[in-house]
Amino acid sequence: MNHFFNFIIKYNNEIQLLLFIGLIFFSWNVENALGIITNYKKWKHASKNVGFIFINLPGQFILGLLIIKTIHWTGVNHFGLLYYFKIHNSILLFVCSFIMLDFGEYIYHIIMHKVKRLWMMHAVHHSDEVVDVSTTLREHPLENIVRLTFTLFWVLLSGTAFWALILRQIIQVFTTVFAHINYRLSDKTAKIIGLIFITPNLHQVHHHYMQPYTNSNYGDVLSIWDRIFGTFQEMPAEKIVSGVDVYMQKKDIGNFKSILKIPFGKYRISGGKQDKITTMPNHDEPTLFEKKLSV
Ligand SMILES: [Zn+2]
Ligand SMILES: [Zn+2]
């Protein structure tokens, strides 16, 4: 078992990178063969989202180092809940870390939806008109910093081990890519897997532009939090319109630069409070959703 942990610790960056590339490649091909949305320019769409990899690198690097330093500190000082409850057994430690960190991601996601300034950052992810595997990459650098700072806080609070965090991240890479894939599981399979885990069927409901769907299915890896706290929603795939019910015009999400400006936009972003489509008074062109819905 120790060899396994050492291997994960030693090659964690390589494992995550290879896994990520492999999963994107696999999902890309699954979408080409079985994708449910086909009438869009896949390469052009992906090229906008790929830019986020590069722009997020400095934040990832700096906060990644801080997280490693924090784990080292909690290890030396025996700080955090896992140390407090004297959980040393590897399997138990991993299960507890996993549940704590996943619950942390659930809370983080709700906060990103409820606090207006944070929602404007998170709206970058939600503003994608077609959710496919490349949407996984679509995260504003400011949100990236906020998210990793939250992770740092949860790592400090939990006192988790480095290998447990890496192992959880590896599982998270799988589920995040899986959640965004432009493909749906059959109803029966989705029901069974969705009892515990977030499926593409569930996460894509979260990308629907109307309430209460936008503010539902916040779960990261596990769907149990949504079931426990009443934020669970289901919706047939053909009814889902991805995006946000904001005063956005095509020019606001037309290119990479304009997407980056979303958190600083002077237009109000509702945070998804309305239960119907929001349109700006006297707007000069129909919103994206009016266009979509009139087709
Ligand atoms: Zn969200
Ligand atoms: Zn998403």
Side-chain angles (χ1 to χ4, degrees), residues 253-269:
I253 55 169
N255 59 52
F256 186 64
K257 214 169 139 187
S258 57
I259 298 168
L260 276 183
K261 286 184 189 162
I262 289 176
F264 314 103
K266 62 178 185 303
Y267 41 77
R268 279 178 45 237
I269 294 184

Side-chain angles (χ1 to χ4, degrees), residues 9-73:
I9 290 170
K10 193 170 175 192
Y11 297 107
N12 76 83
N13 287 329
E14 290 83 352
I15 293 170
Q16 287 186 67
L17 189 68
L18 277 177
L19 189 68
F20 194 60
I21 293 170
L23 278 174
I24 295 259
F25 180 75
F26 174 76
S27 307
W28 183 270
N29 286 299
V30 168
E31 287 176 341
N32 284 344
L34 304 165
I36 59 159
I37 304 170
T38 50
N39 56 342
Y40 73 109
K41 292 178 178 140
K42 196 166 155 74
W43 280 95
K44 193 179 170 201
H45 171 256
S47 68
K48 269 192 250 175
N49 291 339
V50 164
F52 286 95
I53 294 182
F54 303 102
I55 203 157
N56 282 331
L57 275 179
Q60 296 256 21
F61 180 72
I62 293 166
L63 277 145
L65 279 181
L66 284 174
I67 288 172
I68 292 171
K69 282 214 175 302
T70 305
I71 290 190
H72 182 72
W73 185 86

Side-chain angles (χ1 to χ4, degrees), residues 129 208-210 235 238-242 245 276-279 286-295:
E129 285 183 278
H208 183 63
Y209 77 104
M210 265 193 193
M235 190 184 203
E238 63 276 9
K239 290 204 172 154
I240 294 175
V241 180
S242 300
D245 63 338
K276 57 185 187 328
I277 310 161
T278 315
T279 53
T287 64
L288 296 170
F289 306 114
E290 285 171 324
K291 277 184 192 165
K292 269 187 191 171
L293 296 171
S294 64
V295 174

Side-chain angles (χ1 to χ4, degrees), residues 25-295:
F25 180 75
F26 174 76
S27 307
W28 183 270
N29 286 299
V30 168
E31 287 176 341
N32 284 344
L34 304 165
I36 59 159
I37 304 170
T38 50
N39 56 342
Y40 73 109
K41 292 178 178 140
K42 196 166 155 74
W43 280 95
K44 193 179 170 201
H45 171 256
S47 68
K48 269 192 250 175
N49 291 339
V50 164
F52 286 95
I53 294 182
F54 303 102
I55 203 157
N56 282 331
L57 275 179
Q60 296 256 21
F61 180 72
I62 293 166
L63 277 145
L65 279 181
L66 284 174
I67 288 172
I68 292 171
K69 282 214 175 302
T70 305
I71 290 190
H72 182 72
W73 185 86
T74 55
V76 169
N77 294 287
H78 288 203
F79 185 89
L81 290 171
L82 293 168
Y83 285 105
Y84 181 79
F85 289 109
K86 298 190 175 20
I87 296 173
H88 301 304
N89 175 284
S90 301
I91 294 171
L92 195 59
L93 186 135
F94 177 70
V95 171
C96 292
S97 298
F98 185 90
I99 290 173
M100 264 194 259
L101 292 172
D102 201 68
F103 183 52
E105 293 276 355
Y106 173 78
I107 293 175
Y108 158 80
H109 199 167
I110 290 183
I111 293 172
M112 293 310 284
H113 276 245
K114 302 287 181 187
V115 180
K116 193 169 169 182
R117 276 286 144 197
L118 297 177
W119 163 250
M120 287 171 83
M121 296 173 194
H122 186 58
V124 169
H125 179 68
H126 278 265
S127 66
D128 212 352
E129 285 183 278
V130 178
V131 173
D132 72 4
V133 65
S134 74
T135 310
T136 314
L137 310 167
R138 190 175 172 121
E139 183 182 56
H140 195 278
L142 288 177
E143 175 171 5
N144 191 256
I145 290 168
V146 174
R147 184 171 55 79
L148 290 172
T149 306
F150 257 79
T151 307
L152 193 141
F153 172 74
W154 277 94
V155 158
L156 182 70
L157 195 73
S158 65
T160 189
F162 187 55
W163 64 265
L165 180 71
I166 298 300
L167 207 53
R168 189 209 172 259
Q169 276 183 341
I170 289 171
I171 295 169
Q172 193 189 25
V173 169
F174 265 109
T175 51
T176 308
V177 172
F178 177 57
H180 289 98
I181 192 168
N182 174 21
Y183 170 74
R184 296 293 188 282
L185 301 171
S186 70
D187 286 350
K188 201 175 165 194
T189 314
K191 275 253 181 293
I192 295 167
I193 300 179
L195 283 174
I196 296 180
F197 297 102
I198 289 289
T199 60
N201 305 43
L202 290 177
H203 187 68
Q204 306 216 8
V205 173
H206 179 75
H207 277 267
H208 183 63
Y209 77 104
M210 265 193 193
Q211 294 298 9
Y213 302 99
T214 319
N215 287 2
S216 73
N217 302 356
Y218 292 108
D220 190 37
V221 176
L222 302 176
S223 65
I224 54 169
W225 312 119
D226 288 295
R227 291 177 185 279
I228 293 171
F229 298 106
T231 50
F232 186 82
Q233 289 285 349
E234 287 174 296
M235 190 184 203
E238 63 276 9
K239 290 204 172 154
I240 294 175
V241 180
S242 300
V244 266
D245 63 338
V246 297
Y247 307 138
M248 277 184 198
Q249 307 292 308
K250 191 82 188 167
K251 64 181 165 52
D252 295 320
I253 55 169
N255 59 52
F256 186 64
K257 214 169 139 187
S258 57
I259 298 168
L260 276 183
K261 286 184 189 162
I262 289 176
F264 314 103
K266 62 178 185 303
Y267 41 77
R268 279 178 45 237
I269 294 184
S270 67
K273 286 200 179 67
Q274 289 86 343
D275 58 0
K276 57 185 187 328
I277 310 161
T278 315
T279 53
M280 188 156 63
N282 305 321
H283 61 270
D284 48 9
E285 61 171 310
T287 64
L288 296 170
F289 306 114
E290 285 171 324
K291 277 184 192 165
K292 269 187 191 171
L293 296 171
S294 64
V295 174

